[in-house]
Amino acid sequence: MAEAPAPPASELPAPDPLAPDPAHDVTPDAAALRVLAHPVRLNLLSRLRQYGPATARQLAAHFALDPGSASYHLRRLAAGGLIEEDSGRGTRRDRWWQARHRTSFHDPGTNRPSEQADSRAYAQALLLAYSDQLRRLAGTVPLLPDDWYAASVFSDYTLLLTPDELNAMKAELADVVGRYRELGHDRPQRGADSKNSTDSTDSTDGADGTEDVNGTEGTGGPVPTPVSVQLQSFPLLDR
């Protein structure tokens, strides 16, 4: 008996915008959530995801950490399956680390009761990491080129919503982000460094230690640049 033909793509159900892409993303299990429930580890992981492989010395210099502390947290991330050694780089002196995934997806609504404590600890650490990132990014605002500053947005909204309405808005926003994320697949990115580099500072840093945010890479035109898009939505209960 012949199999029925597959339905045309236009009739297939739309993908869930909140679902991770198995080829690029990870859904942390309870053990990984416990590893990630630390702001320093979250910042290290975010840096590797945004700017590519780095050594413990480079990351320690960027975050003003003790190199031994940075190495410890990197080993914990590796044990949790979130980063791995980049064996094609470095020397015996320096181990290079790279992120294994593009993004972590964690939906608090899917937690089992036994995972609630780990989920909340992860969410708390994530907010602390975000606040640290924003404090450091505040120093780059005077350095932003005019076109990037004009394209940036700094907004805060207070809405009156039910949990169901918030879930619906969350799905819509994730769908928009997902469409623009697809533009970045296989695109060159500024800040690509040599595999033989062993400098203790990041290759995207300027001579004064600040990052090159022009995004031109000597090409005479704009090059796709990492852009932070942060979505946080939560009820205001501390009245």
Side-chain angles (χ1 to χ4, degrees), residues 78-94:
L82 297 157
I83 67 172
E84 62 189 2
E85 187 173 356
D86 185 351
S87 58
R89 295 176 183 252
T91 63
R92 293 181 180 179
R93 180 184 176 189
D94 283 317

Side-chain angles (χ1 to χ4, degrees), residues 149-164:
Y149 182 70
S152 302
V153 61
F154 309 93
S155 298
D156 183 23
Y157 303 95
T158 300
L159 311 178
L160 294 176
L161 302 173
T162 66
D164 286 345

Side-chain angles (χ1 to χ4, degrees), residues 139-217:
T140 71
V141 171
L143 308 176
L144 288 175
D146 291 343
D147 55 346
W148 276 113
Y149 182 70
S152 302
V153 61
F154 309 93
S155 298
D156 183 23
Y157 303 95
T158 300
L159 311 178
L160 294 176
L161 302 173
T162 66
D164 286 345
E165 291 167 342
L166 180 55
N167 273 321
M169 186 181 72
K170 181 172 64 176
E172 291 180 34
L173 292 173
D175 187 45
V176 172
V177 171
R179 293 203 306 272
Y180 281 89
R181 169 179 275 173
E182 291 301 314
L183 297 177
H185 284 180
D186 302 322
R187 266 185 170 180
Q189 176 180 305
R190 77 166 176 86
D193 54 359
S194 168
K195 287 200 170 191
N196 296 321
S197 172
T198 56
D199 291 344
S200 62
T201 57
D202 297 286
S203 61
T204 54
D205 286 352
D208 58 354
T210 57
E211 290 191 4
D212 172 17
V213 293
N214 291 308
T216 57
E217 284 296 298

Side-chain angles (χ1 to χ4, degrees), residues 8-63:
S10 59
E11 296 181 9
L12 294 175
D16 181 358
L18 296 177
D21 178 351
H24 301 95
D25 307 321
V26 62
T27 301
D29 58 17
L33 288 177
R34 287 192 288 273
V35 170
L36 289 171
H38 196 295
V40 171
R41 290 175 204 154
L42 288 168
N43 281 330
L44 293 173
L45 179 59
S46 177
R47 182 75 182 177
L48 292 174
R49 286 175 172 173
Q50 292 173 347
Y51 293 96
T55 67
R57 289 193 304 124
Q58 289 176 331
L59 293 168
H62 179 78
F63 290 106

